[in-house]
Amino acid sequence: MMTTNSSSAGSSNGRREFLRRGAAAAAGAVVAGLAGVAARGAVSRDGMVWQINPARCVQCGRCMTHCVLTPSAVKCVHTYAMCGYCRFCFGYFDPGAPELTTAAENQMCPTGAIRRRFIEPPYYEYSILEDLCTGCGKCVKGCNTFGNGSLQLQILHDRCVQCNECAIARRCPAQAIERVPLAKWNRMKSEFGAVPAAVWQHREPDANA
Amino acid sequence: MLERRVVPRAGALALIVAAAVSADAAEQRFPKPDFKSGYVQPVYHPPTPARSAVREWADVAVLAAALGAAAWLALRARSRRGLWALSVASLVWFGLVRKGCICPVGSIHNVALALVDPVYGLPLVTALIFALPLVAALLWGRVFCAAVCPLGVIQDLVVWRPVRLPTALNRALGMLGPTVLAFGIALTAAGAGFWICRYDPFVGLYRRSGPAGMIATGIGLLLIGVVVARPYCRFFCPYGVLLSWGSRLSRRHLGITPDECIQCRLCERSCPFDAIRGPEPPHVDRSAARRALVRALWAAPLFVAGAAWAGRAALDALAPVVHPAVALERELRAEDAAGTPDLTWETRVFRLSGEPRESAAAAAAAARHRLRLAGLWAGAFVGFVGAGRIVASVRRSDRREWVPDRGECLSCGRCFAHCPREYVRLGRLDGPMGNP
Ligand code: SF4
Ligand code: SF4
Ligand code: SF4
Ligand code: SF4
């Protein structure tokens, strides 16, 4: 009797072999069924990406510290269309700034990642130097608290490795990190919906059912 | 709103701040400027994802092709060298290039969550990544483990001086995998997150970035893996448990000898994973064997019940650690008792959301209930697997030659070179060994 590649078995093993084949066919059906049933509610054929919903974000600072990447894949991005081009930008200046000059000690950003450029009186353009930004969210907090909220934190998808479970999402106190279909990866701030009532609630399996 | 609590320090901006906050209700506190200088407003273009639909599907195709190649190398070509080369290619592609995520091991979570939560979107690509290696196992054995899995290949490449573990230790450690599988699924189903992914020891090495503990565990396991071959695969991997079931039922499977076993025993110690089984002497005392079997069958239900109880107790005790809703309730309660609100971001966000305090308690209670139930099932499952293994171990085997254990064999192909019949096949040997 041979027990090699081909499972051709002697007649004594015929019944066992038959049972094994049957069980294998059943197992195959189970695997296919599981995958099929699990994918029944597929919102995307092609995969999902993680995104911060700026309407929920409370700028806790964990985006900077909890990403699996160092530096974090989260950075500040600027929706120019929402910006007031304020001379006294609440994202740019530290509220306790002694003077309103571009000197580093007056700036909100600890790494000097915001560039300010004069446009015309009284307007200034602010842009983010991505490589310097650490995603700490200080400017976003300033801009959202007192300004127009044109600064937002977002996961940058050229950096993000799309962890199966985003390490920041897991620790985000406001459940602001959402899984969205790949096709919707580039929503900007104005394209997110309003804050759902229970921002705090960890989504339970049947919460939306 | 949380923002109101941020009190600016007295400074040059204070007055403007006061003005701005009073205008809070407006959509845009500062109107969009009306530029006179012909300034053109830039448009921010977010950087394009490293992922795209094409790449996601290409990944599935690469996985399928790699499985096919591994099966061909292990079963048809019988080439250890080929499997080694494929392992290196998998390490580079699935590990270093695609950075390990998402892999079939982690996809257990996605599938489990999608099964209990109809709202959770499981992309078709993920369903396929979960299913393909299992289908391959049903056809050809654990060819995924042989040379495709990014977690497996990194360990396989460091196997250098494998030692044999005592059978009892092997069996005891062998229960960890089913435990990880059951409780990994249980935690996901109870809404407590993806714990198998969190303890993936090697993904940090592939990303070349990650928490210190994760990197240290990965390096530690690789060091252990020099002498205890592929420790994660054999003792922790939850997906390996599923694959081993598939492999036991597989249609075809790698064999040590290309044609027949001549009982030379040269392969006996060749497997670094202790997966080769030899002929067993027939039971001398038939009735003693039968009594042992009956005892095992009697003990099984007790074993299952005990494990179920232990599983429930374990997840109940761990609830505040593993489930955010339970943790939040505990923090809120501690703050209420001490009269110091808003010590953590979680409690601040909750209190500012305006949700009634009871809803946090209700969510925590529901989470705890679900955890207990999931723990009960997970424990029962582990007990069932354990009981099954005990029963199987006292059963009489009718094995008469040296064969790989279909469940434990990783199809790595290391044993081929120890079989004299293989040398005959390759035309490198004839004579008594070659032509029995
Ligand atoms: S998915 Fe991973 S890489 Fe991307 S932001 Fe989250 S933790 Fe960082
Ligand atoms: S303040 Fe923080 S988030 Fe804003 S630009 Fe600077 S580093 Fe980035
Ligand atoms: S046992 Fe698990 S980790 Fe090891 S190769 Fe197989 S699937 Fe990968
Ligand atoms: S192929 Fe041979 S050496 Fe490799 S795991 Fe299987 S029995 Fe062991």
Side-chain angles (χ1 to χ4, degrees):
Chain A
M1 187 174 61
M2 310 197 312
T3 313
T4 53
N5 299 357
S6 60
S7 45
S8 65
S11 55
S12 61
N13 260 357
R15 199 172 61 102
R16 184 180 284 188
E17 185 58 25
F18 176 76
L19 287 176
R20 217 170 52 80
R21 287 272 167 93
V30 167
V31 171
L34 272 184
V37 171
R40 74 198 179 286
V43 275
S44 159
R45 242 174 4 115
D46 310 320
M48 310 285 277
V49 293
W50 295 100
Q51 261 200 326
I52 297 177
N53 181 341
R56 287 183 161 206
C57 170
V58 294
Q59 295 92 38
C60 67
R62 290 185 189 165
C63 276
M64 175 176 77
T65 48
H66 281 77
C67 180
V68 299
L69 302 177
T70 323
S72 172
V74 173
K75 306 270 174 207
C76 174
V77 302
H78 195 188
T79 312
Y80 293 96
M82 290 174 71
C83 183
Y85 287 75
C86 321
R87 184 170 163 208
F88 304 119
C89 169
F90 303 100
Y92 186 77
F93 290 111
D94 189 307
E99 297 170 76
L100 298 179
T101 69
T102 60
E105 71 268 21
N106 299 331
Q107 291 183 24
M108 179 79 101
C109 179
T111 60
I114 307 182
R115 193 191 56 182
R116 168 178 159 108
R117 190 163 72 92
F118 175 68
I119 305 292
E120 62 182 57
Y123 301 129
Y124 288 82
E125 180 196 85
Y126 298 89
S127 34
I128 309 297
L129 306 174
E130 209 174 85
D131 288 334
L132 291 182
C133 174
T134 60
C136 70
K138 291 200 165 77
C139 61
V140 179
K141 178 167 239 104
C143 179
N144 281 266
T145 313
F146 306 114
N148 282 358
S150 56
L151 297 176
Q152 69 173 86
L153 287 176
Q154 193 48 278
I155 296 171
L156 298 193
H157 290 306
D158 55 339
R159 296 166 189 264
C160 174
V161 294
Q162 302 300 347
C163 310
N164 199 20
E165 179 191 54
C166 173
I168 309 173
R170 195 184 133 195
R171 296 301 316 279
C172 174
Q175 275 85 58
I177 301 189
E178 300 174 348
R179 223 168 129 259
V180 300
L182 186 53
K184 292 191 186 163
W185 66 273
N186 59 352
R187 289 182 305 170
M188 290 299 290
K189 187 162 181 180
S190 44
E191 296 164 64
F192 283 86
V195 201
V199 284
W200 59 273
Q201 199 168 20
H202 192 78
R203 199 165 75 100
E204 294 295 339
D206 56 1
N208 302 349
Chain B
M1 299 278 288
L2 188 64
E3 289 85 79
R4 303 259 181 73
R5 308 211 161 200
V6 181
V7 181
R9 278 173 280 155
L13 271 183
L15 276 182
I16 306 165
V17 162
V21 173
S22 61
D24 181 79
E27 268 281 301
Q28 190 142 323
R29 293 184 188 117
F30 303 97
K32 198 174 163 185
D34 187 12
F35 296 111
K36 306 275 186 316
S37 59
Y39 165 77
V40 183
Q41 198 171 53
V43 178
Y44 174 76
H45 291 290
T48 356
R51 292 209 173 178
S52 66
V54 176
R55 281 192 75 163
E56 299 269 323
W57 283 96
D59 280 349
V60 175
V62 170
L63 175 64
L67 289 169
W72 183 78
L73 287 166
L75 272 64
R76 189 59 68 77
R78 294 173 58 83
S79 166
R80 169 67 201 152
R81 201 174 288 174
L83 286 167
W84 182 85
L86 184 60
S87 299
V88 174
S90 297
L91 177 105
V92 170
W93 180 254
F94 296 111
L96 296 171
V97 178
R98 306 301 284 133
K99 306 227 164 63
C101 237
I102 172 182
C103 79
V105 182
S107 74
I108 293 174
H109 286 308
N110 307 65
V111 171
L113 188 53
L115 288 175
V116 297
D117 177 4
V119 182
Y120 179 83
L122 182 81
L124 205 51
V125 281
T126 312
L128 285 171
I129 284 173
F130 170 77
L132 284 178
L134 289 172
V135 171
L138 281 168
L139 293 172
W140 310 301
R142 295 173 71 171
V143 292
F144 176 68
C145 302
V148 184
C149 175
L151 289 86
V153 293
I154 191 172
Q155 298 171 79
D156 203 75
L157 295 176
V158 301
V159 174
W160 184 48
R161 287 285 153 87
V163 295
R164 284 180 80 84
L165 297 182
T167 312
L169 182 62
N170 243 329
R171 285 206 177 139
L173 290 174
M175 282 310 294
L176 283 174
T179 310
V180 173
L181 175 69
F183 284 89
I185 292 176
L187 287 169
T188 303
F194 288 13
W195 286 77
I196 298 169
C197 290
R198 289 179 200 175
Y199 286 94
D200 177 339
F202 303 115
V203 72
L205 299 179
Y206 285 134
R207 292 183 189 131
R208 279 148 285 168
S209 172
M214 179 191 259
I215 304 280
T217 314
I219 293 176
L221 274 179
L222 288 182
L223 290 177
I224 295 174
V226 171
V227 287
V228 179
R230 296 178 71 161
Y232 183 84
C233 294
R234 283 156 72 200
F235 308 128
F236 299 103
C237 179
Y239 196 68
V241 175
L242 300 179
L243 290 170
S244 75
W245 294 343
S247 180
R248 276 181 217 286
L249 299 174
S250 67
R251 204 176 160 74
R252 292 159 63 84
H253 194 277
L254 154 160
I256 301 172
T257 159
D259 36 40
E260 61 186 308
C261 179
I262 54 172
Q263 308 277 344
C264 67
R265 306 183 62 157
L266 288 173
C267 64
E268 191 176 0
R269 313 245 138 176
S270 65
C271 178
F273 316 114
D274 304 338
I276 295 179
R277 304 280 177 268
E280 278 179 11
H283 283 291
V284 258
D285 186 351
R286 286 270 192 132
S287 63
R290 186 159 301 140
R291 275 199 306 278
L293 184 62
V294 169
R295 264 202 307 275
L297 285 172
W298 268 111
L302 281 179
F303 199 68
V304 173
W309 176 84
R312 182 181 185 276
L315 285 200
D316 189 47
L318 287 172
V321 184
V322 296
H323 205 291
V326 183
L328 174 70
E329 171 62 17
R330 175 177 273 206
E331 282 163 6
L332 286 169
R333 210 173 282 171
E335 288 181 1
D336 290 347
T340 49
D342 296 359
L343 290 180
T344 69
W345 272 102
E346 282 79 3
T347 55
R348 281 171 89 179
V349 174
F350 172 73
R351 291 189 205 275
L352 289 161
S353 73
E355 281 287 316
R357 178 68 182 73
E358 304 78 61
S359 60
R368 199 180 266 280
H369 172 74
R370 195 171 284 135
L371 278 169
R372 285 200 199 112
L373 192 65
L376 190 81
W377 279 105
F381 172 85
V382 175
F384 189 75
V385 172
R389 289 188 182 178
I390 292 173
V391 170
S393 73
V394 296
R395 253 187 50 200
R396 205 168 60 86
S397 127
D398 55 3
R399 200 169 34 235
R400 277 176 237 145
E401 58 272 292
W402 297 85
V403 286
D405 179 296
R406 283 188 172 212
E408 284 170 27
C409 168
L410 302 176
S411 298
C412 72
R414 285 188 176 85
C415 48
F416 299 158
H418 294 262
C419 181
R421 294 297 301 166
E422 178 72 359
Y423 287 81
V424 175
R425 181 181 79 92
L426 297 171
R428 293 194 197 139
L429 184 74
D430 43 35
M433 276 294 202
N435 297 303

